[in-house]
Amino acid sequence: MSEEKKSGAGVRFNLLDVALIVLALLCVISVWQRGNLKRIFEEGGVYQPYTVSFVAEGISQGTADALQKDTVLYIEEDGTRVTLGTLNDTVSVTMRGNWSVNISGSMTCMVLQKDGRYFLKNGPQLALNMPLLAESETATLRLTVVEIEKSN
């Protein structure tokens, strides 16, 4: 009589077992990330229009003249040109000297406000007193952010 040995020591996986393990992992990850996804889609997690006021000192009169209503300003972030905002009105000019002027103005920017911080869409964080090198199609200027408030 021959004795048959049952092989119970080897564990075999088939395609269905692998699919069930992957499905279980995806369920765990989705429950774990549920809170993060909720925060992204809440009102505070959406880019909204904000009015960003700025000043720039010591720029040429030609640069000031180029900054008219609806001029789009850009900044460079990691080698990529990112839209900063669109000027709301023509900038206000204050004379400084014979060859340079000081300006102030405001622009509408798409901003994500999160935990008291402001983030540009596809760009850096914005903060009060933050200097930025901005450019339009015809002008380049160094401006300083002086106010950030939600647009109506």
Side-chain angles (χ1 to χ4, degrees):
M1 287 180 60
S2 80
E3 234 178 83
E4 289 184 22
K5 291 186 178 178
K6 290 188 178 179
S7 167
V11 178
R12 288 195 264 166
F13 285 102
N14 62 24
L15 189 58
L16 183 59
D17 294 331
V18 173
L20 289 174
I21 291 171
V22 169
L23 183 62
L25 285 173
L26 288 175
C27 288
V28 169
I29 290 171
S30 65
V31 169
W32 174 48
Q33 290 295 320
R34 177 184 53 177
N36 290 337
L37 292 173
K38 182 179 177 185
R39 273 184 256 139
I40 289 171
F41 292 110
E42 287 178 348
E43 182 178 330
V46 176
Y47 287 94
Q48 298 176 343
Y50 276 73
T51 300
V52 177
S53 300
F54 64 90
V55 295
E57 298 178 347
I59 67 168
S60 70
Q61 183 65 47
T63 299
D65 292 340
L67 299 174
Q68 300 296 319
K69 182 178 180 173
D70 296 329
T71 299
V72 178
L73 294 177
Y74 303 94
I75 59 173
E76 190 170 311
E77 177 70 13
D78 297 329
T80 305
R81 191 176 194 193
V82 176
T83 301
L84 175 60
T86 304
L87 289 177
N88 295 336
D89 291 312
T90 302
V91 296
S92 301
V93 176
T94 305
M95 293 304 282
R96 177 179 181 191
N98 292 338
W99 308 106
S100 64
V101 296
N102 296 341
I103 63 168
S104 62
S106 65
M107 61 188 146
T108 301
C109 303
M110 293 306 290
V111 173
L112 170 67
Q113 193 274 334
K114 191 168 189 169
D115 300 327
R117 297 187 205 167
Y118 303 94
F119 299 93
L120 274 178
K121 191 170 189 175
N122 301 322
Q125 177 179 337
L126 285 179
L128 295 177
N129 299 319
M130 178 179 191
L132 294 170
L133 182 61
E135 58 185 38
S136 69
E137 298 299 328
T138 58
T140 300
L141 70 147
R142 181 165 297 279
L143 56 88
T144 303
V145 175
V146 293
E147 184 178 25
I148 304 170
E149 64 181 12
K150 188 172 181 183
S151 298
N152 294 332

